[in-house]
Amino acid sequence: SFLIERLQHAMSKYGRMREGKSGLTKWLLQETLEEHDSTMEHPYMKTIYQRRADFAAYTLYLNSQRLIFEAMEKAVTANATHPVIGRIYDSDIERAPPLRSNVEYFAKKVLPTSKGGAHSHANIEPTPSARRYVEVLQADVEESVELLAVHHMLQYLAVLSGGQFLKTQLSKQMQSESIDDPNDGLTFYTFASIGVRGGSKFVSAYMDTFDSLAFTISRQRILECAKQVYALSDALMAECYAVAPVELEPETNTPVKPTEGPMLRLTSAELAEFDGVNQPRILLSIRGKLYDVTAGREMYGPSGSYSKFAGKDVTRALGSMDLSHEALDDLDWQPETSKEEKTLVDWEKKIGGKYPVCGDLIQLVRPRVITGGAAVKNEVTDDGATTEGAAATCPFSGAAAPPGAAGTCPFAGAAEKPAADDKGECPWPFVFLHDVQGGLHPKHRLKNAATVAIVAVVATAVVRYFL
């Protein structure tokens, strides 16, 4: 039955892949991870992360984004009845209108007073890379309207995810510089139709829809398109950074010191409480290590773009770049390729370089030992945790198997010397505590018969005494 359980688990895991949960979006995110990281870690982005953005450069960035989104949304509207584009078309999420408003806000309200008026005549015309992007977009649409969906996904998900952190950092910088009504200039990152806490759900639903699209172009062409989008975005940011280079604070992936005080030991159910709602503290786990990400509440808190990670084990989600709900708290998962292992290691370095380790995730298990002493993989417990390949422990003593007897009951040989063919078997009668079938094995028939006879005699004597 155990083998059947494991086979069913493997088949269900494969089934999830067939259902689209590990489809085109996951593959595309994996194949463009290096390009994605390059844009996220670009010096221009870091000026915003560190709240040192130059507002002339930022207005240039906004106006360049305006040009790109106007061209893209015009093409999407024109092809709204296309079988692929029609599935993802949503006029409520269009960004061109708020971008026009934000450009006007910064040009008229912020730049005239920024840096003593030095930015009042700053050049904010869209950059050459932004214009080049529009040309590439138009050529892609002419080649195949389906390529427009690639632009659509990458641009909108960037604003819905990482863009929310940019909004937080820009707002804090503007407040520190006493700029009035900063949120009026940050509506590019606000999706009224989605709501403050609906971003992650919208992203998940969008990705599911994208996975179900009936593309006729090859995956390789989709990948080429995506890589070009990242390359042009990188070039655009370089042009904005060149307007006002900033000496950035050095960053390191050296693990930060663990949290002071006692280290936590939590089950999956207990970890779920630390989601920023039930508990103000926000934790997540990767490969059994708990990280305190409370300092990143803007990203991991209830309204953050990564709120779905709060209170969860995210090993599979990060290692496989699978953002589906099924990828969370999958304690069975192990990297299946060198690429997944490298991806997971990179994430461990990134998160470990920003947030402290605060404990360990406990995987509660119920060990099983079968007749003959063969070790088997442990069963899934009530909270869904699973541990594979662990040495069995006897439920009677709770002790681990002695050295050299991995996978056997630690009571083996304690009551009687085992035969050569059943070395390491849990001795009778302790085997009944966890393996009744093993206790009833024919080789124990004399002991079982004697026990039944003794019990019958004692029971008869007790009955006669009271009668």
Side-chain angles (χ1 to χ4, degrees), residues 434-448:
H434 55 84
D435 189 1
V436 175
Q437 185 177 1
L440 295 174
H441 192 276
K443 63 185 172 184
H444 297 310
R445 63 182 178 275
L446 293 179
K447 287 174 283 190
N448 289 333

Side-chain angles (χ1 to χ4, degrees), residues 229-414:
V229 169
Y230 279 118
L232 288 169
S233 298
D234 196 274
L236 189 161
M237 287 187 282
E239 291 165 338
C240 294
Y241 183 71
V243 171
V246 175
E247 186 175 347
L248 298 166
E249 298 174 5
E251 293 187 358
T252 176
N253 282 332
T254 303
V256 298
K257 293 181 179 180
T259 302
E260 295 183 1
M263 300 296 277
L264 299 173
R265 287 176 60 78
L266 304 176
T267 64
S268 295
E270 291 169 335
L271 172 60
E273 293 294 308
F274 292 87
D275 60 357
V277 178
N278 296 305
Q279 293 280 350
R281 199 173 180 187
I282 305 174
L283 309 181
L284 57 79
S285 70
I286 304 175
R287 286 209 263 213
K289 286 186 178 181
L290 297 175
Y291 293 87
D292 189 332
V293 298
T294 308
R297 181 173 293 275
E298 295 88 352
M299 291 187 292
Y300 298 102
S303 61
S305 51
Y306 299 106
S307 60
K308 68 187 301 179
F309 289 171
K312 303 292 184 181
D313 180 90
V314 297
T315 306
R316 175 183 161 194
L318 297 181
S320 65
M321 296 301 290
D322 184 347
L323 303 182
S324 67
H325 179 74
E326 288 81 358
L328 300 174
D329 287 332
D330 186 351
L331 304 182
D332 268 342
W333 188 85
Q334 294 290 336
E336 298 176 355
T337 65
S338 58
K339 178 175 289 187
E340 288 184 342
E341 175 64 25
K342 181 180 183 302
T343 299
L344 188 56
V345 169
D346 287 344
W347 276 111
E348 287 176 310
K349 289 179 179 178
K350 290 175 185 177
I351 292 179
K354 294 181 180 179
Y355 306 108
V357 172
C358 61
D360 299 298
L361 183 66
I362 303 171
Q363 298 186 34
L364 297 179
V365 297
R366 288 194 296 265
R368 299 177 64 202
V369 180
I370 62 175
T371 302
V376 296
K377 296 182 180 179
N378 295 310
E379 293 180 302
V380 178
T381 60
D382 294 338
D383 72 346
T386 307
T387 296
E388 298 185 14
T393 59
C394 182
F396 183 77
S397 68
T408 67
C409 177
F411 272 142

Side-chain angles (χ1 to χ4, degrees), residues 24 79 82-86 88 137 140-153 210 213-219 221-222 225:
L24 181 58
N79 292 279
H82 186 276
V84 169
I85 303 304
I88 57 176
L137 171 68
D140 284 346
V141 174
E142 186 174 347
E143 175 189 341
S144 172
V145 175
E146 292 176 11
L147 290 174
L148 180 57
V150 182
H151 290 267
H152 192 278
M153 182 192 76
F210 195 89
L213 297 179
F215 284 99
T216 60
I217 55 177
S218 68
R219 280 197 170 194
R221 182 66 188 95
I222 290 173
C225 178

Side-chain angles (χ1 to χ4, degrees), residues 110-141:
V110 178
L111 295 188
T113 59
S114 179
K115 290 191 176 181
H119 285 161
S120 57
H121 300 293
N123 178 21
I124 60 171
E125 289 299 310
T127 71
S129 292
R131 298 183 186 282
R132 171 61 181 156
Y133 188 109
V134 172
E135 293 173 357
V136 169
L137 171 68
Q138 292 170 342
D140 284 346
V141 174

